[in-house]
Amino acid sequence: MADKEVRLTGRWLGGIGFTFIIALIGYGLSKVPGFDHVGQLACAIIIAIIYRQIWGYPEKIRSGIQFSAKRLLRFAIILYGLKLNIDVILHQGGWLLIRDVGT
């Protein structure tokens, strides 16, 4: 039973690693002139779409890919939104934060 759990965990982590590699390639592509206007996320999505159309996703790691797409992507979007809010607070000053807490 423990051996099966180790294999499932390895496959799950393999899917997360696979999406991480796609994200790194998207990051690198976003540094290329012309793609720098597209952005990192859009580049990673384009790479993932092309990869899926040509080779398809490996079935063994599909659970990790789905976890990354559903859970990690949502968490990243929340963190990105938080970053935007913190940038506004830092640039507008503490008064904006005090006003918002009061509201």
Side-chain angles (χ1 to χ4, degrees), residues 8-92:
L8 291 175
T9 303
R11 291 177 180 177
W12 187 72
L13 291 175
I16 294 172
F18 178 80
T19 56
F20 182 72
I21 290 170
I22 296 289
L24 284 178
I25 295 170
Y27 174 76
L29 185 61
S30 71
K31 300 297 181 188
V32 173
F35 286 99
D36 55 347
H37 299 292
V38 176
Q40 300 169 12
L41 180 61
C43 287
I45 290 172
I46 291 168
I47 292 167
I49 290 170
I50 292 170
Y51 185 92
R52 184 175 182 183
Q53 292 301 316
I54 295 173
W55 295 287
Y57 293 139
E59 283 297 321
K60 290 182 178 181
I61 60 173
R62 184 170 296 277
S63 63
I65 293 171
Q66 288 175 342
F67 174 79
S68 295
K70 292 182 180 178
R71 304 283 183 173
L72 294 181
L73 183 59
R74 287 181 185 167
F75 185 64
I77 291 169
I78 290 169
L79 289 179
Y80 186 70
L82 180 64
K83 177 191 172 286
L84 291 176
N85 291 337
I86 289 175
D87 283 344
V88 169
I89 291 169
L90 291 176
H91 287 101
Q92 298 294 322

